[in-house]
Amino acid sequence: MLAAWGLGLGARLSSATMALFAFAVWLVTVAGAHALERAGRRGPAEAVLRRLMYGPRT
């Protein structure tokens, strides 16, 4: 979103608004992790790691 090949927002945002944007992205990831935990589901990184280590479910 910030890179020129994305939405190019990096050229228009100040340091303070970039920090606010980063904080908002962090909050979204924390909310997603909390929702996955409450639902009893594994996160995407854990699912991939378990698939690589133990193979597909049988």
Side-chain angles (χ1 to χ4, degrees):
M1 295 185 89
L2 297 176
W5 51 267
L7 294 177
L9 294 176
R12 293 186 281 255
L13 300 178
S14 68
S15 294
T17 53
M18 280 191 200
L20 184 62
F21 179 77
F23 183 71
V25 169
W26 177 79
L27 278 178
V28 168
T29 59
V30 168
H34 182 67
L36 284 173
E37 184 179 8
R38 286 184 56 112
R41 299 189 60 196
R42 295 183 178 125
E46 183 179 358
V48 169
L49 180 62
R50 287 181 183 267
R51 177 67 55 99
L52 289 173
M53 297 308 296
Y54 303 120
R57 292 183 183 177
T58 56

